[in-house]
Amino acid sequence: MTDLQVIGAGLGRTGTLSTKTALEELGFNPCHHMMETRKHPERNHKHHLNSILLEEGSEEAIRAIWGGYKATVDYPGCLLYEEFMKLNPDAKVVLTVRDSPEAWVKSVTETIFRIHTARNWLSMKLQLKIGELISPDHIPVVIKMMVSQRGHGVDPLNPKTDLAQMYTDWVNRVKETVPAEKLLVFNVKEGWKPLCDFLGVPVPDTPFPRV
């Protein structure tokens, strides 16, 4: 068991940073997010994520990265929501979503998956190489987790991948594998009330975070 009370199963660019900020304001603090992997190099993310990927001591590796966190959202944690549920049977799952698959694709191809829009093979290879040079060393492992069957089973950086279908498949997978009473499908545009009602906490007087 870890300390997780809220498991975010929504993909990156579905309002996860706003949700992280909201959850922390509601008392589920700290909340893990991809940005935490940059802030805490002492957690040795590359080593432990690789152990999870290879299924070598996964439970210990999960504790090494997520130990002490009361909530998690965004990559890479969203890819492990089923493992988190097994380790934290009383936790609740929040599936953050965008207005449509197309809205999500527009967002990710302008940010985290911009390589997907490379005009040709050479441009893609060049962008990948630049990414390897400037990104933290655990990012390639996160990409491998996305490509694996525990993730999307396809490469989100490959221009041939249908990202809208990848997003739809993920949303459906979460809905099918999480008991309805433990799942909230949440769009951050809905604000505090559905999130607070689901988690059983009071609605704050402050505006919902827009980060």
Side-chain angles (χ1 to χ4, degrees):
M1 180 177 291
T2 61
D3 301 315
L4 292 176
Q5 298 174 42
V6 183
I7 300 166
L11 303 180
R13 305 304 298 176
T14 57
T16 53
L17 188 53
S18 294
T19 304
K20 165 185 164 65
T21 306
L23 288 171
E24 291 182 336
E25 187 169 339
L26 293 175
F28 301 96
N29 184 27
C31 176
H32 195 275
H33 181 280
M34 177 67 92
M35 63 187 301
E36 294 287 307
T37 66
R38 296 172 181 263
K39 289 182 178 179
H40 297 287
E42 75 279 2
R43 293 206 178 220
N44 199 355
H45 290 85
K46 179 181 179 181
H47 171 74
H48 294 303
L49 289 174
N50 201 52
S51 295
I52 294 169
L53 178 65
L54 299 176
E55 298 184 356
E56 297 175 350
S58 295
E59 189 170 326
E60 292 77 8
I62 285 173
R63 288 196 179 95
I65 295 177
W66 281 274
Y69 285 95
K70 292 185 178 179
T72 182
V73 296
D74 202 71
Y75 289 116
C78 63
L79 301 174
L80 303 173
Y81 76 93
E82 291 179 279
E83 283 92 333
F84 290 148
M85 288 171 61
K86 292 175 183 176
L87 292 171
N88 306 273
D90 295 327
K92 294 186 176 182
V93 179
V94 176
L95 173 62
T96 46
V97 295
R98 296 290 292 243
D99 291 341
S100 67
E102 292 73 26
W104 181 78
V105 171
K106 183 178 186 299
S107 178
V108 295
T109 53
E110 292 175 351
T111 52
I112 59 175
F113 297 152
R114 65 174 62 90
I115 293 174
H116 184 86
T117 59
R119 295 182 178 179
N120 53 53
W121 178 86
L122 182 60
S123 175
M124 183 178 74
K125 290 296 183 182
L126 179 60
Q127 290 185 54
L128 283 170
K129 192 62 179 178
I130 292 172
E132 289 175 3
L133 293 173
I134 65 175
S135 297
D137 64 359
H138 63 274
I139 295 300
V141 185
V142 176
I143 298 299
K144 289 179 181 178
M145 290 175 67
M146 292 180 189
V147 177
S148 73
Q149 290 305 310
R150 119 186 301 134
H152 303 302
V154 293
D155 185 353
L157 303 183
N158 189 329
K160 294 181 179 179
T161 297
D162 184 340
L163 291 179
Q165 188 61 54
M166 187 186 91
Y167 170 88
T168 300
D169 289 345
W170 183 261
V171 170
N172 290 338
R173 172 178 167 181
V174 174
K175 290 179 179 179
E176 291 168 0
T177 53
V178 180
E181 68 275 11
K182 286 185 173 290
L183 177 65
L184 172 69
V185 180
F186 179 61
N187 188 318
V188 292
K189 291 182 178 179
E190 298 174 89
W192 285 117
K193 192 173 189 317
L195 184 63
C196 292
D197 288 351
F198 178 65
L199 298 176
V201 296
V203 175
D205 294 330
T206 55
F208 190 87
R210 305 292 180 187
V211 185

